[in-house]
Structures are given as C-alpha cells and as structure tokens.
Amino acid sequence: MPIDPEFKSKRQVVGEHNGHPVWGPVDPPKVLGIHGDKVAVDFDLCIADGACIDACPVGVFEWVDTPGHPASDKKADPVNEDQCIFCLACETVCPVEAIKIFVE
Ligand code: SF4
C-alpha cells in the first residue's frame, strides 16, 4: 500500500521534526506518521531501502534512527526538503512508494 496522496486532507499535523511537519497519528516507536510537507515520507511504510537517498540530486534526505519500528530501524528523513527541485526521482525509485512530492 503506497503513501496516501490525499493524506493532507485526512491527517493532522501533530508535531515538528528537523524543520518539517509530522502528520499523525504518531505512537512511537511503532507508529511514526508522515514526515515532510513538500517532500512527504511515510515513516510507517519506509523500509530503509535507501534508493531515495542515492537518487536525490540535491541531498534532501538523511537517515534518522527509529529503533523498534516494525518496518525498519531507520528512515529517510526529508531534512532538506526546501532544497527539492521536484525531479520526482525519489518517488519513482522507492520500492514501497512511501514518498509523495508536492510540486510547487
Ligand atoms: S523530488 Fe528529486 S530533488 Fe526532490 S527530494 Fe525527491 S529526488 Fe530529491
């Protein structure tokens, strides 16, 4: 199941992390929500494949440790989402379709 492209109308921002919003529900360590605004990563789908980190030409993502999460113990966090040039490479390569880009 890919990230819900309509999540912004269905979820609420419940916090802030590394300069981006976190969309709930959140119940750590097992439920982590969606991180980001322009570059949204569903942490509950991310399996830490790393393809997005390799694909991104501008270094938007950094690993963040998430011990105890059932899908993976680290996530690709969109810490530099303001640098995004909307190439959509990350969306395309993610094997579990955990990323949704909101083109400005
Ligand atoms: S759309 Fe392109 S520039 Fe933006 S985060 Fe994804 S890979 Fe990086």
Side-chain angles (χ1 to χ4, degrees), residues 38-39 51-61 78 80-81 83-93 99 101 103:
K38 300 173 192 171
V39 180
C52 58
I53 290 180
D54 292 341
C56 182
V58 293
V60 163
F61 303 98
N80 298 314
E81 68 169 3
Q83 302 298 312
C84 179
I85 57 172
F86 309 110
C87 72
L88 305 183
C90 58
E91 252 195 32
T92 303
V93 298
I99 303 173
I101 301 299
V103 179

Side-chain angles (χ1 to χ4, degrees), residues 6-24:
E6 309 294 329
F7 77 86
K8 288 186 177 180
S9 63
K10 299 176 181 173
R11 297 179 177 225
Q12 293 185 333
V13 174
V14 295
E16 192 260 348
H17 177 248
N18 284 337
H20 54 251
V22 179
W23 306 77

Side-chain angles (χ1 to χ4, degrees), residues 18 43 53 59-65 75-80:
N18 284 337
F43 272 24
I53 290 180
V60 163
F61 303 98
E62 288 183 5
W63 290 120
V64 62
D65 291 328
K75 307 295 177 183
D77 198 21
V79 296
N80 298 314

